[in-house]
Amino acid sequence: MKIINYILFIAVLSSSLSCKKYVEIEDPKDQLATGTVFTTDATATAAMVGIYSDMNASNYQFANVLTSFTCAMAADEFVYASVLANFDEFKNNALTSGNGYVGLMWSSPYNFIYRSNAVIEGVSASGTLSPAVKNQLLGEAKFMRAFCHFYLVNFFGDVPLILNTDVIANSSKPRTPKAEVYAAIIQDLKDAKSLLVSAYPGNGERTRPNKTAATLLLSRVYLYTGDNALAEAESTEVIVATTQYSLLKNADPNNAAHMTKAFLKNSLEAVWQLQVVNTLGGRNTWEGNTLIPTGAPLYRLTKGSDGLESGFEAGDKRFSNWVGNYTTTTAPIVTHYYPFKYKVRLGPAGAAVTEYSMILRFAEAYLIRAEARVGLNRLSDAKDDLNVIRDRAGLAPLAVAATPAIAMAQVEQERRTELFSEWGHRWFDLKRWKSLSGDPSKSRADDILPKSKSSWKSTAVLFPIPIEAMRTNPNMIQNPGYN
């Protein structure tokens, strides 16, 4: 009965995310107190795996769709070519604290943090789990806690750091300085690395994090926090320590190693993916189901000389293979371009799922290492990493950059055209890079976004704390620009 109650609690919690914030979650002490869920390997594993299922159970559960689409519109990647108030606020960088998607970008990660903490506490207290499963689940839960805190701190800046299941204490916890949140993220990922193994657990599909996933995310965090030496070391470990991963670039589109196959389930480029729960009607991923149009696309690459549509070099295979197009049939004749990394909108009824949602991808390791090497003034080595990415894209190799500034411009170009529409990379990059103006108070977003967004303000680099969090937590303070 305890197990059933716990599962029911998780189901109710997941289904009510749209109207409940983290601080309003009732403490399920009666379900977890005896530790029944964590007495067998199977039930303890089910508690952890349920988090991944709910992450991608619908458009609105912290899935790639929610994070990637809103951040892509907040940056300069694509626009929503219709009227939807919540999306318009992201597109215009004019968010309000009552925006429903902002609310979900706060509540969903905190939901998964709570559940990860419950796994950490339950598994740690258990004396009946096998050692291998205990280590695996502790590693996964710490990875997930780090992953969710990483996105929260990049969405909102200082955020409450939640490391236990004490809802009463956490409900009024003030915002934790970003540096402290990052320190906790790093510690969690270091712990996860020591606990996880390179093999993927369970059925071997790449839908649960392994040691490489923890290493890749750790390298990203070191890069974001300015520790270039450690970012280089961790990304190198991803690149050289295993044969499980490679960039897909075969010239034959029918070959399994072709770059159009990069987003297939369990592809050699996948470090961590999510499997969609609801495959109704042949759906494979929320990305493919949402982005691939049946007529004129609603999600269109930004146009103009500074838009993503014109941001690819001539002959870039990423444009020809990962960007779709639609030409109108009535005047004015216009061709619209849209993200096309996923190829399945709806498969044939009953057909096997062929694509999973990509969260962590092998190519990022080269981009992290290239940027870290620029920061270390090792421009020739940085060039080598960028050329690995460019070779797959069918582009001519770069020569060694004359200055670190030129090298960083090359990094920015390759990150933009490689990682577009994936998990907010472009938005986070524009926020974390310094402005070329030399003004230390400005970011790269201040250089780029005013070109296409007349209402741009520097304070928009942080999303507003949701109105529900402000209402329920007396110690919560709103971000600048939203009062």
Side-chain angles (χ1 to χ4, degrees):
M1 179 60 69
K2 295 289 185 182
I3 296 173
I4 293 173
N5 285 343
Y6 177 79
I7 293 172
L8 286 174
F9 162 74
I10 295 301
V12 171
L13 178 62
S14 300
S15 64
S16 62
L17 264 179
S18 61
C19 58
K20 284 200 173 188
K21 305 303 175 192
Y22 173 80
V23 294
E24 294 175 302
I25 296 172
E26 294 181 2
D27 189 2
K29 291 179 180 178
D30 61 327
Q31 287 89 353
L32 297 177
T34 63
T36 305
V37 171
F38 303 102
T39 57
T40 73
D41 289 354
T43 54
T45 299
M48 189 69 228
V49 171
I51 295 176
Y52 310 134
S53 297
D54 287 345
M55 275 185 73
N56 210 26
S58 73
N59 296 58
Y60 309 110
Q61 300 284 356
F62 192 37
N64 194 359
V65 172
L66 176 60
T67 299
S68 297
F69 289 18
T70 55
C71 289
M73 288 184 282
D76 58 349
E77 293 189 302
F78 59 75
V79 298
Y80 184 70
S82 186
V83 177
L84 184 63
N86 282 332
F87 276 180
D88 289 344
E89 290 186 10
F90 283 96
K91 180 174 63 176
N92 298 321
N93 298 101
L95 287 167
T96 61
S97 60
N99 185 291
Y101 296 130
V102 170
L104 286 163
M105 294 165 86
W106 176 277
S107 63
S108 291
Y110 274 124
N111 167 47
F112 299 127
I113 287 170
Y114 178 90
R115 291 165 64 177
S116 297
N117 284 335
V119 171
I120 291 168
E121 293 171 7
V123 168
S124 297
S126 176
T128 57
L129 298 177
S130 67
V133 169
K134 191 169 189 174
N135 284 344
Q136 179 69 34
L137 296 181
L138 281 174
E140 288 185 61
K142 290 197 171 190
F143 171 90
M144 274 304 305
R145 186 168 69 181
F147 180 83
C148 292
H149 276 126
F150 171 84
Y151 274 89
L152 284 165
V153 82
N154 278 281
F155 291 151
F156 302 104
D158 299 346
V159 293
L161 177 64
I162 305 299
L163 301 176
N164 57 56
T165 58
D166 188 343
V167 174
I168 301 301
N170 292 334
S171 65
S172 58
K173 191 167 185 179
R175 298 172 69 173
T176 306
K178 183 169 68 172
E180 293 182 31
V181 179
Y182 267 126
I185 292 170
I186 289 170
Q187 187 58 57
D188 271 347
L189 292 173
K190 290 167 71 174
D191 290 346
K193 270 193 66 178
S194 69
L195 291 162
L196 296 172
V197 297
S198 296
Y200 286 92
N203 60 8
E205 292 202 306
R206 302 183 179 202
T207 53
R208 290 170 63 186
N210 67 345
K211 182 176 182 177
T212 305
T215 307
L216 180 55
L217 185 57
L218 181 58
S219 69
R220 185 197 297 178
V221 171
Y222 281 137
L223 185 73
Y224 277 38
T225 54
D227 196 328
N228 291 311
L230 287 177
E232 184 199 26
E234 297 294 329
S235 55
T236 297
E237 186 174 332
V238 173
I239 292 168
V240 305
T242 179
T243 59
Q244 285 181 289
Y245 312 99
S246 65
L247 298 184
L248 304 183
K249 63 175 184 178
N250 190 286
D252 179 2
N254 296 314
N255 190 290
H258 191 260
M259 65 184 298
T260 55
K261 310 298 195 300
F263 294 84
L264 292 180
K265 66 178 186 178
N266 306 311
S267 83
L268 288 175
E269 210 155 318
V271 176
W272 181 36
Q273 296 176 304
L274 287 177
Q275 180 180 5
V276 73
V277 174
N278 182 3
T279 58
L280 183 66
R283 181 185 296 114
N284 280 213
T285 66
W286 292 107
E287 296 89 340
N289 186 246
T290 305
L291 289 173
I292 299 173
T294 56
L298 286 175
Y299 300 89
R300 303 171 182 175
L301 299 195
T302 50
K303 294 183 178 293
S305 58
D306 297 307
L308 181 56
E309 181 182 307
S310 57
F312 295 82
E313 294 177 50
D316 193 328
K317 291 182 179 179
R318 290 170 295 198
F319 186 81
S320 56
N321 288 291
W322 289 352
V323 175
N325 65 83
Y326 174 89
T327 302
T328 58
T329 56
T330 58
I333 304 299
V334 180
T335 299
H336 300 294
Y337 295 90
Y338 58 91
F340 192 45
K341 289 179 171 177
Y342 298 88
K343 309 302 183 185
V344 179
R345 183 178 181 275
L346 289 176
V353 169
T354 60
E355 294 179 337
Y356 289 163
S357 295
M358 189 77 73
I359 310 178
L360 295 175
R361 190 156 63 86
F362 183 57
E364 187 187 355
Y366 285 101
L367 293 168
I368 288 171
R369 193 168 71 172
E371 184 176 342
R373 286 173 164 177
V374 173
L376 295 169
N377 202 29
R378 290 168 48 194
L379 305 188
S380 180
D381 291 336
K383 172 264 299 178
D384 291 342
D385 284 330
L386 293 179
N387 282 340
V388 171
I389 299 295
R390 290 175 62 83
D391 177 64
R392 190 264 286 280
L395 298 174
L398 298 169
V400 179
T403 66
I406 293 173
M408 266 307 300
Q410 295 170 343
V411 167
E412 179 175 341
Q413 169 67 15
E414 295 307 320
R415 286 186 65 89
R416 186 187 192 193
T417 50
E418 179 70 29
L419 299 174
F420 71 94
S421 76
E422 294 182 52
W423 279 94
H425 283 288
R426 175 65 172 174
W427 175 241
F428 293 170
D429 287 347
L430 293 179
K431 283 154 45 78
R432 67 186 177 88
W433 288 331
K434 295 298 183 184
S435 167
L436 300 184
S437 70
D439 184 342
S441 68
K442 301 291 186 181
S443 69
R444 188 77 174 113
D446 292 303
D447 298 341
I448 298 292
L449 299 184
K451 298 176 183 178
S452 58
K453 305 188 181 198
S454 59
S455 59
W456 171 258
K457 295 187 295 185
S458 295
T459 52
V461 295
L462 294 179
F463 295 159
I465 304 299
I467 192 170
E468 244 350 75
M470 294 296 298
R471 181 183 66 81
T472 56
N473 185 342
N475 294 316
M476 189 62 62
I477 298 173
Q478 185 55 271
N479 274 326
Y482 298 103
N483 291 315

